[in-house]
Amino acid sequence: MFFVGGKFVILEYDKKSLSEFLDVPMFRVSQIYRWIFSRKVSDFCLMTDLSKGFRGELSERFGSVFQGREVIRQVSPDLTE
């Protein structure tokens, strides 16, 4: 298990292991991945095609999507990002 600050780190799980960990079908995990990677949403509360209860459960277990991840902004020599 991957912990940071007493919470699991969701990005450390592949789809299959996340499905098993959460005991949900794969389509539910695909919805979560779509929010994170396609829609760039990091707050579980904004994942509106998931039930309110499930969003709350995700927030309790994982905190936030990028919890425990160092996010680095890279800037090129010509100052573009």
Side-chain angles (χ1 to χ4, degrees):
M1 300 294 166
F2 308 98
F3 290 100
V4 172
K7 303 276 184 173
F8 294 99
V9 180
I10 196 168
L11 295 178
E12 296 294 335
Y13 292 87
D14 61 26
K15 284 185 176 183
K16 184 176 187 236
S17 61
L18 186 60
S19 175
E20 292 169 358
F21 176 71
L22 294 173
D23 193 29
V24 297
M26 284 298 282
F27 81 88
R28 187 69 68 208
V29 173
S30 293
Q31 287 176 301
I32 296 167
Y33 269 59
R34 192 173 314 115
W35 279 106
I36 295 171
F37 296 108
S38 296
R39 298 176 181 162
K40 310 293 189 224
V41 171
S42 61
D43 184 345
F44 296 113
C45 294
L46 299 175
M47 299 180 181
T48 55
D49 61 350
L50 305 175
S51 72
K52 189 174 183 179
F54 187 54
R55 287 181 274 162
E57 180 183 337
L58 291 172
S59 293
E60 285 180 27
R61 286 188 181 199
F62 300 106
S64 73
V65 171
F66 296 110
Q67 171 133 352
R69 291 289 216 182
E70 183 175 340
V71 178
I72 298 172
R73 178 179 293 176
Q74 295 180 336
V75 180
S76 70
D78 66 356
L79 301 178
T80 58
E81 295 181 28

